[in-house]
Amino acid sequence: PAYDPDAWLDAAQRGSVLHDVYEGIARHYLGRQRDIAKDGARDEVLRIADEVIARWREKVPPPGETVFAAEAAELRQSAIAFVEMERKLAEDGDVGEWWELELSFGDAERPGRYDLGNGVTLGIHGRADRVDRLPGAVLRVIDYKTGRAGRFQKSPKKAPFDGGRQLQPALYASVVEGLLKQKVSSFEYRFPTERGEAEIVGYDASELRSAVSIVRALLEQAASGAFIPTTEPGDCGYCDSAPICRARKGDWGKATSPRAEWAKRNGATLDVYELMRGLRGGNVAGEDEA
């Protein structure tokens, strides 16, 4: 841990606090979620947020009261933003019923399996933040994100599943469907903070099913022994193995990587990059100019 006199929580800790808050709110209202629209719900939500914040204060002592008060206020506001988002969705006709919260998988008791076809499965370890039941006996998997929607957004300029970078929706949907024995009709990234502006990035059932060919291709390339570097240095900002490749984050969180820079210069002409070119729409070299 590094002492920072100007900050209490780092980005990962802040995300964990907010996930704990959202889980606490959902558990409190599980089975009666429409009650969040009633008078007094705001006070209940703030009470839940304060309890979580107090637990984290014990775990991670703040550098000072001023810093703590500012960050705690932001966390409380994010708790209110979560409820306001759920209220607005209900008003607009969303009839999803909160069902499973923090559904973990990937251990001996609850194995997570992604079906690759032909009797082959891929083991998956993870945790679904929430699973909703929808009319028609189908499910919706929801994953909370506490930052901005930016890199998660879909766009005509992006390849499906961002060229294999955003496979969580398909993997989690398949695992949840297998565990709960009910069809998953959709997956949603939700951004219920002020910074996230209550955005939703969703995937329907046909999109989720289409990912299997991407997953198979990536696994086949790894099985062939071709562990090639990405052609986009920005990908290296989220890798735990970044020091091995001499990848670093500079000012404003921008990642640099000698190996990725080499791949960016040469990937367009190397046969081993054929799969990556296909997944990313053929645009391997010079991706950031697209």
Side-chain angles (χ1 to χ4, degrees), residues 114-117 122 124 154 158-171 203 206-223 274-281:
Y114 182 73
D115 187 4
L116 293 165
L122 173 67
I124 302 292
K154 296 187 292 185
K158 286 184 177 181
F161 296 96
D162 198 10
R165 296 177 178 94
Q166 295 290 348
L167 292 170
Q168 181 186 7
L171 299 177
Y203 293 79
S206 62
E207 289 177 291
L208 296 171
R209 287 193 299 270
S210 70
V212 67
S213 61
I214 298 175
V215 178
R216 278 201 301 256
L218 291 171
L219 292 173
E220 287 168 2
Q221 183 166 53
E274 182 179 357
L275 171 63
M276 189 179 291
R277 290 195 295 267
L279 292 180
R280 299 183 182 183

Side-chain angles (χ1 to χ4, degrees), residues 18-241:
L18 286 175
H19 274 76
D20 288 351
V21 170
Y22 300 154
E23 180 189 1
I25 295 170
R27 287 200 184 282
H28 183 74
Y29 286 99
L30 196 64
R32 56 185 187 93
Q33 67 194 69
R34 305 308 175 205
D35 287 353
I36 63 172
K38 294 183 178 179
D39 294 339
R42 181 186 178 92
D43 291 339
E44 280 296 296
V45 166
L46 291 176
R47 178 188 61 77
I48 293 167
D50 285 340
E51 289 177 353
V52 173
I53 291 169
R55 290 199 301 270
W56 272 86
R57 179 172 181 154
E58 289 291 321
K59 184 186 301 186
V60 184
E65 288 304 314
T66 301
V67 170
F68 171 76
E71 294 193 32
E74 183 182 346
L75 292 167
R76 292 187 188 98
Q77 190 56 46
S78 292
I80 296 299
F82 170 82
V83 172
E84 292 299 328
M85 181 179 186
E86 293 294 336
R87 284 176 173 174
K88 181 66 165 55
L89 288 169
E91 291 171 0
D92 291 344
D94 188 293
V95 293
E97 176 191 354
W98 302 349
W99 188 32
E100 291 279 354
L101 306 176
E102 301 298 321
L103 180 66
S104 61
F105 47 83
D107 54 22
E109 181 180 346
R110 189 181 283 157
R113 300 292 181 190
Y114 182 73
D115 187 4
L116 293 165
N118 298 321
V120 180
T121 61
L122 173 67
I124 302 292
H125 178 87
R127 182 173 61 188
D129 293 334
R130 198 175 96 203
V131 180
D132 293 350
R133 285 193 292 198
L134 303 174
V138 295
L139 305 177
R140 173 176 62 198
V141 181
I142 292 175
D143 190 76
Y144 305 130
K145 296 298 180 188
T146 56
R148 301 183 188 278
R151 68 187 182 92
F152 295 93
Q153 288 176 331
K154 296 187 292 185
S155 163
K157 293 183 178 181
K158 286 184 177 181
F161 296 96
D162 198 10
R165 296 177 178 94
Q166 295 290 348
L167 292 170
Q168 181 186 7
L171 299 177
Y172 275 37
S174 177
V175 170
V176 169
E177 190 169 285
L179 287 174
L180 301 182
K181 309 302 181 186
Q182 292 190 46
K183 182 177 176 58
V184 171
S185 64
S186 60
F187 176 102
E188 291 183 358
Y189 285 122
R190 291 193 179 181
F191 301 81
T193 64
E194 286 191 307
R195 288 192 298 171
E197 299 179 337
E199 287 199 50
I200 295 176
V201 177
Y203 293 79
D204 62 26
S206 62
E207 289 177 291
L208 296 171
R209 287 193 299 270
S210 70
V212 67
S213 61
I214 298 175
V215 178
R216 278 201 301 256
L218 291 171
L219 292 173
E220 287 168 2
Q221 183 166 53
S224 75
F227 291 90
I228 57 176
T230 178
T231 59
E232 176 49 59
D235 292 340
C236 301
Y238 303 93
C239 180
D240 291 338
S241 302

